[in-house]
Amino acid sequence: MKHNGKKIVIIGGGIAGLSAAVYALKCGYEVQVLEMHDMAGGLAMSWRRGGYTFETCLHWLVGSKPGGEFNRVWKELVDLEKLTFLNPHEFVRIENETGDSLRLYTNVDMLEAELLRRAPDDIVAIRNFTHAIRTLGKFRLIDPSGGIADNWFNMLRDIPVMPLLMKLGKMSGKEYGARFADPLLRSFFTTGDMGKLTAIAMVLSLAWMNEQDAGYCIGGSQALIGLFEEKIAELGGTVRFNAKVERVLVDEGSAVGVQLCGGEAIPADWVISAADGHATIYEMLGGRHVDDGIRRIYADTESFASYVQVSLGVAMDLSDQPAMLTRVLCAPLVVDPETELPNLGFRFFHFDPTFAPAGKTAVTAILPTRNYKYWQSLRAEQPQRYRAEKGRVAEAVIGALEGHLPGVRESIEVIDVSTPATVIRYTGNWKGSQEGWLMLPGAGIKPFPNTLPNLDRFFLIGQWIMPGGGLPSGPMTARPAIKAICRRDHVPFDIQPEMHREEPVTV
Ligand SMILES: Cc1cc2nc3c(=O)[nH]c(=O)nc-3n(C[C@H](O)[C@H](O)[C@H](O)COP(=O)(O)OP(=O)(O)OC[C@H]3O[C@@H](n4cnc5c(N)ncnc54)[C@H](O)[C@@H]3O)c2cc1C
């Protein structure tokens, strides 16, 4: 690729920053990604402890299906076919402590049959639900970086889906779930952040799973991140680690570079922040480039909860377990003084052989909490109590797991607990949020502005400008930003898909 003589500095080496880096390199820019952590990925993260790998992010990757709509976008960036995708046929099993259980399958016909068998009185609601999954499988995403000319075909194809999309878009998960009398089925929609999100979020995810377009890749989110690092190196870009940006340098209304903690200044023709939105706007830019719209977003929009993650290395083959299990608890689990959970989700990673030695299984539980201040202040001011609290929560989680798998405690050889303080320390995300902004009823599927008032040569990308977040928000927000930069610099934005070198592997 011929260098076009211009430099872009990208703050943050999560999926959004890495996506922008690849697009920019392919357009001939010199690119430097500055990442404060010592590895890339941000929230798309896993870590190794005592022979086990504990994944935090990847449940499903939209765009995993060869030939699918979003697959094309991933392939503009990396050679996705180097990954091996799994499409589990059981999405989640929900059970209570009295032995009642419900299986939610990814295949819509199996799902319908199971729900009708279990809850025949909910027949109308079930049929509407599965009809919505089948219908939304036909929904085509609109490319936010394109105009009518790029999108007209998908817009036309979406016309029959629009009435349903608009109906679901106005409803929360809680309102949607209220139509089911069956308590386990209802709990699937109504608990935690799921109950607050627009009903589109879960129905669309199930639609993509039914299409086998939301699989899990072996190696988890870091396998995907590794492909980006490989591609950036191949194209001559750099990712500099342990490089925390303190300030965006602004001269006469234009971003001209960044300053790292420690004082080093790095000049650039363009600056893109793929880091936390709040820290970028209010700290790195000192709150000098805000208007009422931005103030309203940060004052009024609700973000996803943060989380405590309890990860267990279990010296047992748990391949008879579902990939995901939700236990509806008789007594709520106390996470912290403001947070009690009525149910607890486990993931049994028996399907990923890279995560544990043969015959052993990595098990994780994500416990949502918004009380990030509690965990941050405990860690900073009372380290002993912080450790004790982590131990208490781990013990409660193990207790709940024992209810499902009596005797499992004896086989637990690794216990690891991360908290909202860990998430903030390693990713800088505001309030330790796991996915940026909630996609709320009535808000539609559209990004927030990617520029700031009175600030030229600067873009925001990533989960903080795409409500709903998720890995696809990386390319979806990076693409329009690089396209706009190219337009300004009169550089062609001509991105070709990566050619695959091996046959795709789908299990
Ligand atoms: C528990 C959990 C489950 C999830 N499940 C899924 C899933 O199944 N599928 C899915 O698609 N998504 C999932 N997500 C969401 C997904 O991980 C995120 O939405 C996505 O990774 C966000 O990417 P990002 O690049 O926008 O932000 P981030 O990943 O937060 O990246 C921002 C980067 O900027 C760096 N940074 C911050 N401040 C600075 C600074 N001052 N200087 C330098 N660097 C800085 C950070 O270290 C970080 O690396 C999940 C997330 C969580 C937590």
Side-chain angles (χ1 to χ4, degrees), residues 10-18 34-37 39-45 55-62 74 221 225 240 243-246 260-261 273-276 279-280 284 305 307 309 347 366 423 425-429 432-436 461-464 468-474 477:
I10 297 167
I11 310 168
I15 192 76
L18 300 178
L34 300 168
E35 168 53 51
M36 68 176 187
H37 191 12
M39 59 192 286
L43 289 166
M45 189 50 68
E55 169 75 21
T56 202
C57 162
L58 196 68
H59 296 67
W60 61 79
L61 181 72
V62 174
W74 290 119
S221 53
I225 294 298
R240 182 167 156 189
K244 181 169 182 180
V245 172
E246 192 173 50
L260 300 184
C261 293
S273 179
D276 168 63
T280 302
M284 294 180 224
Y307 56 100
Q309 176 168 339
R347 299 184 72 194
I366 302 275
V423 181
R425 195 153 52 100
Y426 284 111
T427 74
N429 275 294
S433 171
Q434 51 183 289
E435 230 161 318
I461 60 170
Q463 64 176 10
W464 290 97
L471 295 164
S473 71
T477 56

Side-chain angles (χ1 to χ4, degrees), residues 259-442:
Q259 182 183 306
L260 300 184
C261 293
E264 183 187 346
I266 301 177
D269 296 290
W270 293 90
V271 176
I272 294 178
S273 179
D276 168 63
H278 187 271
T280 302
I281 295 168
Y282 291 100
E283 293 167 28
M284 294 180 224
L285 283 160
R288 284 180 291 275
H289 298 275
V290 290
D291 56 15
D292 285 347
I294 290 163
R295 264 184 226 108
R296 260 199 308 277
I297 291 173
Y298 282 88
D300 301 341
T301 315
E302 193 170 356
S303 53
F304 277 93
S306 191
Y307 56 100
V308 172
Q309 176 168 339
V310 176
S311 306
L312 306 170
V314 183
M316 278 172 82
D317 177 353
L318 296 176
S319 51
D320 57 340
Q321 296 301 313
M324 284 205 261
L325 171 80
T326 300
R327 289 273 287 176
V328 179
L329 306 170
C330 289
L333 189 150
V334 178
V335 182
D336 51 48
E338 280 176 14
T339 317
E340 293 190 351
L341 300 181
N343 59 30
L344 186 56
F346 290 99
R347 299 184 72 194
F348 299 99
F349 283 92
H350 48 70
F351 49 85
D352 192 329
T354 66
F355 278 9
K360 301 184 177 186
T361 314
V363 178
T364 62
I366 302 275
L367 287 64
T369 167
R370 287 196 154 70
N371 199 355
Y372 67 101
K373 285 187 182 157
Y374 171 77
W375 292 100
Q376 267 196 308
S377 69
L378 266 195
R379 181 175 182 276
E381 291 152 26
Q382 301 180 62
Q384 260 183 340
R385 238 191 98 204
Y386 178 65
R387 273 193 297 278
E389 274 296 272
K390 292 206 300 183
R392 178 191 61 75
V393 175
E395 183 50 41
V397 168
I398 293 168
L401 185 59
E402 274 274 318
H404 174 75
L405 281 171
V408 70
R409 181 187 295 276
E410 278 68 53
S411 301
I412 296 174
E413 50 184 15
V414 178
I415 301 176
D416 178 83
V417 183
S418 73
T419 73
T422 323
V423 181
I424 293 169
R425 195 153 52 100
Y426 284 111
T427 74
N429 275 294
W430 195 38
K431 303 179 182 178
S433 171
Q434 51 183 289
E435 230 161 318
W437 305 114
L438 292 172
M439 197 200 265
L440 294 169

Side-chain angles (χ1 to χ4, degrees), residues 136-364:
L136 290 197
K138 299 184 190 88
F139 174 64
R140 295 289 164 264
L141 285 169
I142 302 302
D143 170 10
S145 67
I148 303 249
D150 303 299
N151 283 311
W152 68 270
F153 187 60
N154 278 357
M155 284 167 151
L156 266 184
R157 287 182 62 172
D158 280 347
I159 289 172
V161 181
M162 281 328 254
L164 176 65
L165 211 58
M166 284 163 75
K167 191 170 151 202
L168 292 176
K170 289 190 194 127
M171 219 184 275
S172 68
K174 193 165 185 177
E175 285 159 345
Y176 192 80
R179 59 184 60 191
F180 299 100
D182 183 87
L184 289 186
L185 185 50
R186 182 189 286 221
S187 77
F188 172 69
F189 292 97
T190 55
T191 314
D193 280 350
M194 187 69 80
K196 295 179 183 172
L197 287 174
T198 150
I200 291 179
M202 188 36 78
V203 180
L204 202 51
S205 301
L206 284 165
W208 281 319
M209 284 180 209
N210 178 48
E211 299 283 323
Q212 306 228 316
D213 197 15
Y216 169 90
C217 60
I218 295 294
S221 53
Q222 278 288 308
L224 178 68
I225 294 298
L227 290 187
F228 277 84
E229 292 189 88
E230 217 175 83
K231 183 56 64 186
I232 289 169
E234 187 187 303
L235 295 169
T238 51
V239 182
R240 182 167 156 189
F241 295 108
N242 302 307
K244 181 169 182 180
V245 172
E246 192 173 50
R247 258 186 344 125
V248 176
L249 301 172
V250 179
D251 186 31
E252 296 186 359
S254 289
V256 292
V258 297
Q259 182 183 306
L260 300 184
C261 293
E264 183 187 346
I266 301 177
D269 296 290
W270 293 90
V271 176
I272 294 178
S273 179
D276 168 63
H278 187 271
T280 302
I281 295 168
Y282 291 100
E283 293 167 28
M284 294 180 224
L285 283 160
R288 284 180 291 275
H289 298 275
V290 290
D291 56 15
D292 285 347
I294 290 163
R295 264 184 226 108
R296 260 199 308 277
I297 291 173
Y298 282 88
D300 301 341
T301 315
E302 193 170 356
S303 53
F304 277 93
S306 191
Y307 56 100
V308 172
Q309 176 168 339
V310 176
S311 306
L312 306 170
V314 183
M316 278 172 82
D317 177 353
L318 296 176
S319 51
D320 57 340
Q321 296 301 313
M324 284 205 261
L325 171 80
T326 300
R327 289 273 287 176
V328 179
L329 306 170
C330 289
L333 189 150
V334 178
V335 182
D336 51 48
E338 280 176 14
T339 317
E340 293 190 351
L341 300 181
N343 59 30
L344 186 56
F346 290 99
R347 299 184 72 194
F348 299 99
F349 283 92
H350 48 70
F351 49 85
D352 192 329
T354 66
F355 278 9
K360 301 184 177 186
T361 314
V363 178
T364 62

